[in-house]
Amino acid sequence: MSAPGRIFSTDHKRIGLQFFWTGLAMTLFGALSALLIRWQLAWPWTSMPVAGGLVFPKSGGVPSPEFYSALFTFHGTLMIFFVVIPLLTGWLGNYLIPLLIGARDMAFPRLNMLSYWIMPLAIGCLFTGFLVEGGSAQAGWTSYAPLSTNPNATPGSLHGQSWWLAAIVLAGVSSTLGALNYVTTVVKLRARGMSWLRLPLTVWALFLSACIQLAGLPVLTAGGLLQLSDRVLATGFYSADGSPLLWQHLFWFYGHPAVYVVILPAMGVVSDVLSAHGRKSVFGYRPMVFSMLAITLLGFMVWAHHMFVSGMNPALGMAFGIATTLIALPSGVKVFNWLATIWGARLQLTSAMLFALGFVALFITGGLSGLWLACTPVDVYMHDTYFVVAHFHFIVFGGSVFGLFAACYHWFPKMFGRMLDERLGRAHFVGTFALSVGVFLMMHQLGLAGMPRRIADPTVYPSLRHLVPLNVLITWCALGLAAWQLLFLANVVWSLRRGPRAPRNPWRANTLEWEAESPPPHGNFEAQPEVERGPYEYDPRSGADDFRPQAARLSPRR
Amino acid sequence: MRALVATLFALFALLVVWSFVVAPGRGWAMPENVATLGASVDELFDQIQWIVGAFFVLTVGLLAWIVWRQAQGGGGSRSPISNHLPLEIFWTLVPGAILVWLALVQIAPWEALKFSNSIPRAADGTPKPPLCEVWASQFDWHVLYPGADGRFGSVDDLHSPYELVVPVGEPVVLRLGSRDVIHSFFVPSFRLKQDVLPGRATLVWFECTKAGTYDLMCAELCGWGHYKMAGAVRAVPRAEYEAFLAHKTRALESNGVEDRK
Amino acid sequence: MSVTVHKLTFSSAWLLALAGCGFQPAPGELKLALDPRSRTALADAPGKEQELEALLVKYFGTREEPRYASIDSWKAAGVDPNQPEGSYPSLAASSELYRTQCLHCHGVEGGGDGPTSNTIDPKPRDFRRGIFKFTAVKDKSRPRREDLAVLLERGVYGTSMPSFLRLPQPEREGLVDYVRLLAIRGEVEGLLVQSWQDDEKLDDEAAVEALELVWERWQKAREKVIAFDGPIPPDSAAMRTRGRELYLDAKKGNCVACHGTEGHGDGALAYKTDARGRRTPAYQDDWGYDIMPRDFASGVFRGGSRPIDIYRCIYAGINGTPMPGLGEMKGPDGELLVSGDDLWALVHYVRALSERAE
């Protein structure tokens, strides 16, 4: 290929796969930190496996309380900024957008390459935090000031917090460059005949999430630089004499739309997978598009629902409470449309389909639990308890991660030219679904009972001591869930070399990427495709002839 | 596979419903509410539980059913219909109406909990002065009663580390402050939570209806000791409250002789 | 994969989980180590470190099984410090409670060097000198058990030491017993190192002697309580005026020299200024850390804010710090510098300085 080398390639597919492998590697660290958190919650102040012996030999392997803070800060930061967003936007966005719209590559290939290579720099900054005096950032992924700005407030705020800020700012730059590319590419490089309303929903989702990134990231970056300034230049933007609430507003102004960045691409993937593997069109294409548009726009008007009890003017709380309650509507509409999609379909229970169905079940759960949180008087109780943790893990794990798995099982053949083992994939689904429910369901009850977030030892409060068995159960399920993912890793590693070779269109799907070889060469298509229909023309009633590819037939179909 | 997956989703739905239904009996639910304003919170919670429960059972149940019928071998009918405007309107307007209702019904309780014009009034109609100041710091709750002169920060102030003693059955106003970072004053039994900011005084109010001792938790990450920043709210009859203040006032006059024993 | 295999996988997973019900991980092993100063002092003498450690284990037990060795003079007097009073937990149980509640700041041996201690200011207390700042006793005496119990109840307001009222009273008393053991162990360790340096003696005889000496110091505390006979003179404008006079008078209280004219802890003696005009704290406490005089205007009195608490600080000073005790200080004429009502005048003035402005 003509792209310069394999490491600094400007080919969107190679860059996408670079995001894939990096994201996968970061998942291991994110999962490890989660398991250590769960260990401490189930068996507080015992010798922690792996980390205990390495980091705390002088206290018998028992972690210090500030290490626990570092763990959940690391876990949240890693999972959001270095796992889910890079995988959904960096991997899927980069790999799929040109292919799905019929383009040869992204609009700005070199900018694209840069957007990847900033990530290892950002990751390096994040990990450097562990090596400096005081350890890594300990103020949570939300980094509220003055805990994060006052160096005496917690050891991580000595130096680690600055490295954290550098990592976030760099990750934000990477995402901004990527988003610029995605938006420009979708607007300018669609194949002939690919009108906006013929775009696969995955493209719509990636496009809208890129718009969110472009609008929101500058605010996070500015806010982060102000925090860095407070820490390094002794300014007082977020100090007690300044406004600690200012950080919260600036952070959440991006932080809330960010969760829509995290869920929209998964929603798009699920639509495409349910359709292709159910041999039936997505139900309500336009309402689906409008819902995603509504989510994108409304998503910028609800950020202060993270701040109902923060001390901000309660009138603001009322306004944001109303807006937050209403934003449930477009997501609900999408759920009904998904159900209508599979109603009357001919469901092939492939691994991809299973994860897409699992997404629907778990996203419904997470979305509905959000209704309690949107109700401001109820949120007064629920805020900063495990109920919130349950809510967002159902959405991020049950939603985004299940969407990522569905995407992987669906597009692995195209990306790597090999088929993943379906039996392993189905087993992977069953265990992951059951065990993730085991992990996250009872967190609702923990939160209802009053257990706050981010506490290293729930047995301090008399009213929480009876919750120990629940915490132990959750930890066991988490250990099982992590172990179960070996099925997926084994499948990927084995199939890369030994899986059966993939045909061009193993799923007999309509969208344009299936016109290309598996994997596509540099430039993607032998001939520039022309689009003559929408992406979802399937017919569940037919047998062999149940799909109509989007591309016009220029040569006999294979 | 079809049977397994459908069963999986059905069992999931049952498990979720079960976990919420049995929660109160097993201490997995909110502790007994002992504050007047908490009643509206619990009522809203219950109303939402019915709505959420209904939608959950409907959608996940439907999902399980559809998998059972539409997967290969399920015998469900195939139909390529991919749009139906009346249906879209229906499932936009009906949930929309419910959400609008939910958005409106939360306004009054929220006002009562947080708006400054909802602060309890003294007999003459002016806002009640704070009963005490609660100072949050890393990692302790420290309560300051104003003493006989009614002035905070004067030499007759009474200090109460850890324990906030309040009279039961009366509206109580507290002034919250932080000595360092953001903390959060959380009393689950009162359904009360308020972040405490450094450099700013924040008012909260409640009326406890049942004498007892209730956990006070910090609900905003404040550093490594966040997990152990426990306090206690002890609600006692007015006479006992006065006796508590009198005991602390007498301790101010101590000449140390009792320590000679 | 067939349904059967799925079901088998599941059942085995749940069986494993149920088997795990009995799973109870434990903390790793923790050892009561030597004070680094002891190590330095014994560095030239091979084998003496181990001997010292062995002696300490013999007379104070291990972290898991702390116990005082029963020495003859105690047996004769019927003293058994291993026996907890009433319903108080045993030393072993308190050691475990110390591990989860206190160790991460105060360290394994109570040296104030736990993992979290690095970034705390003021530093957690090093018990091993037996010096405690906020007590009811004078003459730099060891604290009474009650003093330590009050510290646990009240916390040290204005520092990272919280109130431990969330622990039931017997558990707090058990912690007092264990902290006392750590303190006595630390003092005995220091005396044994001294004994080696002076007389090259590091044996049972030296250990028993040291233990008896230290134990006696702790028992004597009961006789050193500072109290005022009669009701305390009440606060008044006249008292505060007199207090201010004494505060400013270089021949009487001379508080202004360290605490500053408005009590902000910024008196002339509080700082030393280097050649470039930069100010650093002039004083260090007995543990070697920089210390500033108290800023009364902050409204925070770490040792308690009752008049009697402040009286005790002024009367006996604060053990371990440069704060002198005025209560028994005599002038060049052999008369008490500040006494009786005058001490109370100072107390009332200092408390007045802590009042919030209107």
Side-chain angles (χ1 to χ4, degrees):
Chain A
M1 71 179 123
S2 58
R6 296 165 74 83
I7 303 287
F8 294 101
S9 169
T10 56
D11 183 312
H12 71 99
K13 298 184 292 298
R14 181 148 292 283
I15 295 169
L17 291 183
Q18 285 171 329
F19 273 103
F20 176 70
W21 293 115
T22 312
L24 216 54
M26 291 300 106
T27 311
L28 292 176
F29 287 101
L32 178 66
S33 52
L35 292 178
L36 294 177
I37 291 170
R38 286 309 326 168
W39 182 278
Q40 168 70 10
L41 284 173
W43 303 293
W45 316 121
T46 58
S47 184
M48 204 178 249
V50 178
L54 277 173
V55 188
F56 299 100
K58 278 207 272 210
S59 53
V62 175
S64 62
E66 57 269 27
F67 184 70
Y68 185 80
S69 296
L71 278 177
F72 60 70
T73 303
F74 186 61
H75 172 74
T77 307
L78 210 60
M79 287 308 206
I80 294 177
F81 292 113
F82 296 96
V83 171
V84 178
I85 289 185
L87 283 174
L88 284 169
T89 60
W91 169 46
L92 293 180
N94 264 310
Y95 203 103
L96 295 177
I97 290 179
L99 283 167
L100 262 59
I101 65 173
R104 302 178 62 73
D105 205 311
M106 286 284 187
F108 308 118
R110 275 184 301 240
L111 202 68
N112 207 12
M113 183 261 289
L114 188 63
S115 88
Y116 170 73
W117 282 103
I118 294 178
M119 288 303 275
L121 216 59
I123 292 170
C125 286
L126 191 68
F127 278 75
T128 303
F130 283 97
L131 303 173
V132 297
E133 189 197 345
S136 70
Q138 287 159 15
W141 84 282
T142 48
S143 258
Y144 280 11
L147 180 65
S148 54
T149 50
N150 180 347
N152 298 316
T154 190
S157 293
L158 264 177
H159 301 295
Q161 182 69 26
S162 297
W163 286 102
W164 184 91
L165 286 165
I168 297 301
V169 168
L170 285 171
V173 171
S174 162
S175 285
T176 306
L177 296 179
L180 270 169
N181 236 329
Y182 306 159
V183 168
T184 314
T185 306
V186 172
V187 171
K188 301 296 284 180
L189 296 186
R190 282 166 289 127
R192 180 152 11 150
M194 180 64 88
S195 65
W196 283 95
L197 292 179
R198 282 179 178 169
L199 280 173
L201 287 172
T202 300
V203 178
W204 268 110
L206 288 165
F207 172 75
L208 289 171
S209 66
C211 292
I212 296 176
Q213 295 272 67
L214 285 177
L217 277 169
V219 177
L220 178 74
T221 311
L225 290 174
L226 288 183
Q227 192 183 111
L228 201 55
S229 167
D230 268 14
R231 289 179 49 74
V232 169
L233 300 174
T235 52
F237 296 108
Y238 305 131
S239 66
D241 298 317
S243 174
L245 284 180
L246 178 62
W247 164 259
Q248 294 183 36
H249 280 295
L250 294 177
F251 177 83
W252 286 117
F253 183 83
Y254 168 74
H256 188 77
V259 314
Y260 297 115
V261 171
V262 154
I263 198 63
L264 278 175
M267 288 174 157
V269 166
V270 163
S271 294
D272 282 4
V273 168
L274 286 179
S275 173
H277 294 252
R279 315 313 290 163
K280 180 167 180 271
S281 170
V282 168
F283 195 98
Y285 178 89
R286 281 179 203 225
M288 288 295 239
V289 172
F290 288 137
S291 297
M292 289 201 283
L293 264 165
I295 290 172
T296 304
L297 291 167
L298 286 175
F300 276 96
M301 301 185 201
V302 297
W303 79 87
H305 66 229
H306 300 271
M307 296 168 62
F308 284 144
V309 297
S310 65
M312 73 175 180
N313 189 334
L316 274 180
M318 189 185 290
F320 279 101
I322 295 173
T324 305
T325 308
L326 296 175
I327 203 178
L329 186 59
S331 295
V333 166
K334 287 186 80 71
V335 165
F336 295 126
N337 277 293
W338 283 318
L339 291 173
T341 300
I342 56 175
W343 178 279
R346 185 154 54 89
L347 304 179
Q348 326 285 310
L349 293 182
T350 55
S351 313
M353 168 60 98
L354 289 173
F355 274 99
L357 292 169
F359 170 101
V360 177
L362 298 176
F363 177 76
I364 288 172
T365 316
L368 286 173
S369 66
L371 278 186
W372 275 292
L373 297 171
C375 182
T376 44
V378 178
D379 185 71
V380 168
Y381 184 92
M382 307 289 204
H383 171 77
D384 232 280
T385 66
Y386 259 76
F387 195 90
V388 181
V389 179
H391 164 72
F392 65 68
H393 277 100
F394 265 92
I395 301 279
V396 180
F397 193 90
S400 308
V401 173
F402 269 61
L404 281 167
F405 281 133
C408 197
Y409 285 107
H410 183 65
W411 278 297
F412 190 94
K414 179 58 55 186
M415 293 179 178
F416 297 103
R418 303 270 183 172
M419 302 298 290
L420 281 171
D421 184 280
E422 272 297 304
R423 289 168 311 163
L424 270 179
R426 291 196 286 261
H428 175 222
F429 165 75
V430 175
T432 301
F433 185 86
L435 288 166
S436 59
V437 170
V439 174
F440 300 118
L441 177 61
M442 301 310 286
M443 289 187 182
H444 292 103
Q445 280 65 30
L446 286 179
L448 282 178
M451 179 171 162
R453 291 173 69 171
R454 299 167 162 175
I455 54 173
D457 179 2
T459 62
V460 167
Y461 295 105
S463 61
L464 301 181
R465 290 198 187 124
H466 66 288
L467 299 172
V468 169
L470 269 184
N471 270 305
V472 172
L473 171 70
I474 291 174
T475 298
W476 277 115
C477 288
L479 288 164
L481 181 63
W484 201 265
Q485 303 314 302
L486 290 172
L487 288 176
F488 172 72
L489 286 172
N491 201 350
V492 166
V493 167
W494 190 88
S495 303
L496 274 175
R497 291 288 142 85
R498 309 291 206 87
R501 289 217 176 267
R504 276 190 198 231
N505 196 353
W507 312 119
R508 299 164 69 242
N510 287 336
T511 40
L512 290 181
E513 74 275 30
W514 306 106
E515 301 294 320
E517 281 172 36
S518 301
H522 187 60
N524 296 339
F525 306 99
E526 287 119 348
Q528 191 68 7
E530 277 190 28
V531 173
E532 56 182 26
R533 58 180 66 84
Y536 300 123
E537 294 197 17
Y538 298 97
D539 192 342
R541 295 167 302 184
S542 323
D545 190 26
D546 63 352
F547 68 113
R548 294 267 172 278
Q550 280 193 282
R553 293 290 107 210
L554 300 175
S555 55
R557 197 192 314 156
R558 261 171 257 190
Chain B
M1 199 66 217
R2 166 180 77 102
L4 177 62
V5 176
T7 316
L8 195 62
F9 289 145
L11 281 177
F12 166 62
L14 286 169
L15 186 64
V16 172
V17 171
W18 172 86
S19 70
F20 277 85
V21 165
V22 302
R26 288 169 185 245
W28 294 345
M30 295 192 277
E32 182 195 357
N33 169 46
V34 296
T36 51
L37 288 173
S40 63
V41 172
D42 285 11
E43 196 185 329
L44 278 169
F45 178 87
D46 286 339
Q47 287 166 334
I48 297 173
Q49 188 164 246
W50 280 111
I51 298 172
V52 164
F55 273 96
F56 176 80
V57 167
L58 172 70
T59 48
V60 180
L62 205 54
L63 182 71
W65 169 248
I66 294 173
V67 168
W68 174 248
R69 292 283 294 171
Q70 302 302 136
Q72 307 275 57
S77 65
R78 319 286 180 194
S79 152
I81 292 179
S82 64
N83 53 64
H84 192 276
L85 190 58
L87 202 51
E88 298 283 354
I89 293 176
F90 173 75
W91 65 43
T92 306
L93 289 184
V94 171
I98 295 175
L99 290 173
V100 168
W101 172 82
L102 192 55
L104 295 174
V105 90
Q106 64 182 259
I107 292 179
W110 175 248
E111 241 191 88
L113 279 169
K114 296 289 181 187
F115 274 52
S116 54
N117 57 14
S118 303
I119 189 175
R121 303 268 152 183
D124 59 359
T126 57
K128 259 191 129 168
L131 187 84
C132 54
E133 284 184 348
V134 179
W135 284 94
S137 65
Q138 290 175 315
F139 300 101
D140 215 359
W141 296 99
H142 196 96
V143 183
L144 208 59
Y145 294 87
D149 69 354
R151 224 172 30 97
F152 289 102
S154 61
V155 292
D156 70 346
D157 282 2
L158 306 171
H159 291 254
S160 179
Y162 175 79
E163 193 182 46
L164 166 64
V165 181
V166 299
V168 74
E170 293 173 34
V172 168
V173 178
L174 304 177
R175 182 152 65 213
L176 309 175
S178 164
R179 291 164 42 81
D180 37 44
V181 298
I182 301 179
H183 300 268
S184 190
F185 182 86
F186 178 34
V187 186
S189 298
F190 295 178
R191 312 292 188 258
L192 173 60
K193 182 183 287 122
Q194 177 58 50
D195 281 8
V196 188
L197 293 153
R200 183 145 92 152
T202 313
L203 294 177
V204 293
W205 51 89
F206 58 87
E207 179 178 331
C208 179
T209 55
K210 183 172 168 186
T213 306
Y214 308 103
D215 272 349
L216 162 60
M217 306 181 181
C218 179
E220 181 57 55
L221 177 67
C222 52
W224 58 263
H226 171 58
Y227 71 98
K228 62 188 182 81
M229 196 167 150
V233 182
R234 191 155 61 91
V236 295
R238 173 41 76 159
E240 207 181 312
Y241 172 72
E242 299 288 351
F244 161 79
L245 290 180
H247 173 80
K248 286 237 174 246
T249 309
R250 272 196 307 278
L252 274 187
E253 296 153 20
S254 160
N255 59 4
V257 164
E258 68 272 12
D259 296 319
R260 277 199 184 127
K261 293 190 219 83
Chain C
M1 214 188 262
S2 70
V3 176
T4 327
V5 179
H6 279 309
K7 287 190 172 147
L8 266 177
T9 320
F10 260 97
S11 336
S12 45
W14 278 115
L15 276 172
L16 271 172
L18 284 172
C21 279
F23 178 74
Q24 183 50 55
E29 219 209 285
L30 271 180
K31 223 167 61 106
L32 287 170
L34 291 182
D35 189 328
R37 285 171 303 201
S38 309
R39 281 193 207 284
T40 321
L42 298 177
D44 305 326
K48 286 302 162 191
E49 271 186 44
Q50 288 85 324
E51 273 184 45
L52 179 58
E53 265 179 17
L55 273 176
L56 289 174
V57 169
K58 180 169 175 185
Y59 285 89
F60 296 100
T62 61
R63 192 204 69 81
E64 284 82 8
E65 287 291 333
R67 62 186 328 279
Y68 297 92
S70 193
I71 57 183
D72 293 330
S73 55
W74 287 355
K75 279 195 216 144
V79 168
D80 183 8
N82 291 317
Q83 197 55 37
E85 283 176 56
S87 58
Y88 300 167
S90 65
L91 283 170
S94 297
S95 168
E96 178 55 21
L97 190 62
Y98 178 92
R99 188 184 70 78
T100 59
Q101 305 294 319
C102 322
L103 186 146
H104 63 91
C105 283
H106 284 283
V108 185
E109 303 84 24
D113 54 359
T116 310
S117 63
N118 282 335
T119 49
I120 294 180
D121 183 34
K123 290 265 174 285
R125 182 60 57 235
D126 176 354
F127 305 137
R128 293 175 303 198
R129 310 279 300 276
I131 303 173
F132 291 83
K133 283 167 77 169
F134 306 116
T135 63
V137 293
K138 61 181 184 179
D139 295 342
K140 301 204 181 292
S141 163
R142 296 295 172 266
R144 306 168 301 148
R145 279 194 86 263
E146 290 79 358
D147 292 318
L148 297 180
V150 162
L151 275 174
L152 284 180
E153 258 178 51
R154 195 182 61 202
V156 182
Y157 191 38
T159 72
S160 296
M161 174 66 184
S163 154
F164 278 90
L165 279 171
R166 63 182 167 83
L167 297 177
Q169 202 240 356
E171 285 186 8
R172 293 200 305 270
E173 297 286 350
L175 282 176
V176 167
D177 287 330
Y178 185 69
V179 166
R180 185 176 61 170
L181 180 142
L182 287 179
I184 293 176
R185 178 183 172 281
E187 288 189 80
V188 165
E189 184 184 343
L191 284 174
L192 283 173
V193 167
Q194 196 64 45
S195 161
W196 169 258
Q197 285 177 322
D198 294 343
D199 310 312
E200 299 226 331
K201 256 183 79 162
L202 193 63
D203 54 14
D204 278 306
E205 202 189 319
V208 170
E209 203 181 307
L211 183 51
E212 283 174 341
L213 176 67
V214 174
W215 184 259
E216 262 316 292
R217 279 182 192 159
W218 281 74
Q219 294 311 300
K220 275 220 187 52
R222 326 196 61 81
E223 305 155 20
K224 304 278 187 177
V225 171
I226 306 164
F228 183 76
D229 292 302
I232 66 181
D235 192 7
S236 67
M239 271 294 220
R240 293 182 180 194
T241 312
R242 175 73 184 138
R244 180 154 177 84
E245 268 175 41
L246 296 162
Y247 183 94
L248 293 172
D249 189 341
K251 292 202 185 62
K252 292 277 186 177
N254 198 22
C255 319
V256 62
C258 291
H259 288 281
T261 44
E262 303 305 321
H264 288 302
D266 56 356
L269 294 185
Y271 292 101
K272 53 181 195 255
T273 315
D274 66 10
R276 286 161 63 175
R278 282 177 309 195
R279 294 198 311 179
T280 49
Y283 292 113
Q284 278 76 44
D285 60 21
D286 281 13
W287 296 274
Y289 298 114
D290 283 341
I291 187 169
M292 290 294 294
R294 176 61 44 230
D295 172 6
F296 301 128
S298 70
V300 172
F301 292 101
R302 293 184 187 168
S305 54
R306 299 177 305 164
I308 184 63
D309 299 317
I310 299 179
Y311 178 83
R312 283 169 170 158
C313 287
I314 298 179
Y315 187 99
I318 300 180
N319 201 1
T321 75
M323 170 67 186
L326 301 179
E328 288 168 9
M329 207 183 267
K330 294 203 167 74
D333 56 358
E335 294 295 311
L336 283 175
L337 271 186
V338 189
S339 66
D341 277 18
D342 276 353
L343 277 173
W344 287 106
L346 271 174
V347 167
H348 289 307
Y349 178 64
V350 162
R351 294 186 87 233
L353 284 173
S354 76
E355 286 191 306
R356 258 183 243 173
E358 289 284 344

